[in-house]
Amino acid sequence: MQVITTGKEMQAFSRKIRTEGKSIGFVPTMGALHEGHLSIVSRSVEENDITLVSIFINPTQFGPNEDFNKYPKDHKGDMEKLLSLNVDAVFLPDVAEMYPQGYSTFVYVGGIGGILCGASRPDHFNGVATVVTKLFNTVMPDRAYFGQKDYQQTVVISKMVRELCFDIDIVVCPVVREADGLAMSSRNAYLNEEERKAASILSKALEYGKELIMSGREQQTSLIKSKITALIQSEPLASIDYVEIVGPQYLEVVKEVKTPAVIVLAVKIGNTRLIDNIIVESN
Ligand code: PAF
């Protein structure tokens, strides 16, 4: 497994692979890899000749009072996991490589970048779109893989790829969950024992919402949302950022739920903000 730290070397590596006629699958990450990441990486390994993983904690997607400085890191563990999955190369740039002094070019995500997570994290999706653009131009993949856990991120990136004409297929991989339903996330490491138990309320609330929609008993978005909200509020450690029911492609809020729809939520458990979602489709 090759470890590459500069953009120039990364481009040279990818250019060589492409001239050999081989396909490149790319999995961008911020490290602290868990089973969710590993299932995405395995999918890329299955579907491509070469798989490349980037590990970069991107400062531009964190707000001033967010967790950039304490974001979990596990360099040794990450390398061992990627090696065991037969990953071909890891791109490990540092902040100065990605954002050299005087850096000032950003991708701006209008519309859907400012709702849901974008409402409470104002520059978050601009930071994500900027770093993903830079990574795409550096790695030059055929396919790029993202987890459905960050549902809004997958919609923002798919739209950016269409609108900025990247010749890259975006593949969205299912959420991987712990036994009690909690979606795997690097930020779960912040939870203490009591919070970890409380955090299962997110997936319970999503399942409950899905059941309400599928049963056909409720169709009014506001009613379904208030039932989901009440369930989350029954957990004393939980405080809701948002609960919404949106269309899968444009994230539009509708008055009456029609399937397919996605229930998306962000909830703080103690000081840790967690996100999750569930796609509701009729059979
Ligand atoms: O989902 C993540 O881990 C990050 O947002 C990403 C896509 C690697 C960009 O920094």
Side-chain angles (χ1 to χ4, degrees), residues 189-210:
Y190 298 148
L191 303 169
N192 65 29
E193 208 178 313
E194 200 191 349
E195 290 167 343
R196 171 62 193 81
K197 277 194 197 133
S200 67
I201 197 69
L202 276 80
S203 59
K204 288 197 183 100
L206 291 171
E207 285 295 344
Y208 174 54
K210 178 174 176 176

Side-chain angles (χ1 to χ4, degrees), residues 28-30 37 56 58 61 124 128 131-132 146 150 153 157:
T29 79
M30 298 206 296
H37 292 114
F56 177 63
N58 173 37
Q61 70 188 75
H124 173 66
V128 169
V131 80
V132 170
F146 293 86
D150 297 290
Q153 171 170 280
I157 288 167

Side-chain angles (χ1 to χ4, degrees), residues 57-63 68 99 103 106 123-124 126-128 130-131:
I57 305 176
N58 173 37
T60 65
Q61 70 188 75
F62 290 80
F68 175 66
Y99 300 109
Y103 186 93
F106 291 87
D123 275 323
H124 173 66
N126 298 335
V128 169
T130 301
V131 80

Side-chain angles (χ1 to χ4, degrees), residues 54-85:
S54 64
I55 300 178
F56 177 63
I57 305 176
N58 173 37
T60 65
Q61 70 188 75
F62 290 80
N65 300 316
E66 293 182 356
D67 55 342
F68 175 66
N69 286 321
K70 63 166 190 160
Y71 196 82
K73 295 180 189 66
D74 179 16
H75 179 72
K76 191 165 168 281
D78 289 350
M79 291 298 150
E80 282 167 8
K81 287 170 189 159
L82 296 178
L83 197 60
S84 76
L85 293 180

